[in-house]
Amino acid sequence: MPKRLLVRTGSAVAAMTLALLAAPLADTAHAYSATSGTLSFNGEPGEPISGGRSYAYTSGAVQMFDVQGSTDENSLTVAVDAEQGTLWRLNIAAPDGEKLTEGTAYTGTKQWPDAQPADPELTFSGTDDGTEKWCNTSSGSFTIEHIAFGPYGYVHELDASFEQYCNGSTVPLRGEVHAVMPEPPVELAMGMKASPEGTVAVPEGRIAVGGTVTCNKPASVSVVGQVFQIQKKGTPSATYDIAVACTPGSPVPWSVSLTSQEPGTAFQPGLATMRTRARANDRDYPVTTDTGQQESQVWLSKS
């Protein structure tokens, strides 16, 4: 491209960069109910969390029984919501930089913020019939008897036992968790294609351009990009950011109607350039799928 045209397109390229380098989508992941699972724990009188009682919960008989792991397989959370006002959370983690490993006993656990990078972590807490049960400090241990991970730290199977001493108590709480989660969902695969044809209304210069997105499972896809057209007297350009409800099976069309955001310019019939990317959160894993920037030419026909 001649240098004189590079000067004219400077503001257009800057706008395009802002549009295509927008902040990543927020990570999200769905909760799942265990295919089978049990959580049981007990303590002798004087133990702060159990109050000396025994508890047992089974998936299918509670509102939620979910196990979620971190993407680096370093930690996991077991969440059991038994009924209104009663819920329990078990949080365990290997030392920083290590993965939770089957057959390993982790001793000398601490809870945040007392835990140091080399310490394993354990926190068991909850709400029992509306009464909060929480440790300000704790120590203990846990053993991973069996664990099977899927993509991005998805916990497929878990068998673990734990022991916690709460708030300096010499009386431990002991518990076990066994869970089989549904088969790991497929990872989101996504594609995008810009249409090589568009329209332009003259003299106002309003264009209509678009394309399609594809996906292997439902996703809310953010399509961002810019259209610009190099002319002798200027470079009309416009950015866009739209959401597309993608469903698997066939390409899902999208389109936008735009006018130039560059003062004193208007799109005309002829060749223009589209720079587009598509992103979507994987509904099952804490990851965003990104097509990367794609550049293509679009022919604007007079409408």
Side-chain angles (χ1 to χ4, degrees):
M1 182 186 300
K3 288 185 178 181
R4 61 182 181 276
L5 292 183
L6 285 175
V7 174
R8 292 173 183 166
T9 59
S11 57
V13 173
M16 178 274 298
T17 301
L18 290 175
L20 299 189
L21 298 182
L25 302 178
D27 288 342
T28 58
H30 281 189
Y32 285 89
S33 293
T35 302
S36 63
T38 60
L39 170 68
S40 60
F41 59 93
N42 62 78
E44 297 177 5
E47 196 286 310
I49 300 295
S50 67
R53 297 173 55 194
S54 296
Y55 295 77
Y57 302 95
T58 304
S59 63
V62 295
Q63 295 179 0
M64 182 177 71
F65 197 120
D66 184 36
V67 183
Q68 292 198 12
S70 61
T71 57
D72 58 3
E73 301 181 7
N74 169 261
S75 62
L76 62 81
T77 297
V78 179
V80 175
D81 289 5
E83 56 190 22
Q84 185 67 32
T86 299
L87 56 87
W88 302 100
R89 299 291 185 267
L90 171 65
N91 299 286
I92 59 176
D96 286 4
E98 298 182 17
K99 295 182 178 182
L100 291 170
T101 304
E102 182 171 315
T104 301
Y106 297 87
T107 60
T109 64
K110 296 180 180 179
Q111 75 174 45
W112 186 89
D114 298 320
Q116 299 300 308
D119 295 326
E121 296 185 41
L122 164 67
T123 304
F124 184 80
S125 59
T127 302
D128 186 12
D129 196 22
T131 301
E132 291 188 3
K133 302 292 186 72
W134 174 259
C135 304
N136 292 318
T137 61
S138 71
S139 61
S141 63
F142 64 90
T143 299
I144 302 295
E145 293 146 9
H146 171 66
I147 193 166
F149 286 104
Y152 300 105
Y154 181 93
V155 180
H156 185 207
E157 299 174 355
L158 174 67
D159 295 293
S161 58
F162 58 94
E163 182 176 272
Q164 176 177 266
Y165 293 84
C166 182
N167 295 334
S169 172
T170 59
V171 181
L173 175 142
R174 295 186 174 93
E176 294 184 0
V177 58
H178 306 276
V180 176
M181 300 299 292
E183 287 293 326
V186 297
E187 301 173 53
L188 175 62
M190 185 178 64
M192 181 198 65
K193 183 178 181 180
S195 173
E197 298 179 353
T199 62
V200 57
V202 291
E204 65 268 28
R206 177 169 293 276
I207 63 172
V209 294
T212 59
V213 293
T214 57
C215 53
N216 63 342
K217 62 182 179 181
S220 177
V221 180
S222 174
V223 179
V224 299
Q226 184 186 44
V227 184
F228 64 92
Q229 186 181 54
I230 299 174
Q231 301 173 358
K232 292 182 178 180
K233 296 183 179 180
T235 303
S237 68
T239 60
Y240 53 90
D241 185 346
I242 63 169
V244 182
C246 188
T247 55
S250 59
V252 178
W254 59 271
S255 62
V256 290
S257 178
L258 308 166
T259 56
S260 177
Q261 297 165 337
E262 292 293 315
T265 65
F267 288 101
Q268 299 174 0
L271 199 63
T273 300
M274 290 183 67
R275 290 176 179 170
T276 309
R277 75 189 304 167
R279 298 172 298 159
N281 288 329
D282 192 318
R283 60 188 295 172
D284 300 301
Y285 302 111
V287 66
T288 298
T289 299
D290 194 324
T291 63
Q293 179 179 307
Q294 299 179 12
E295 181 171 315
S296 61
Q297 302 299 307
V298 56
W299 183 263
L300 302 176
S301 300
K302 184 176 180 182
S303 62

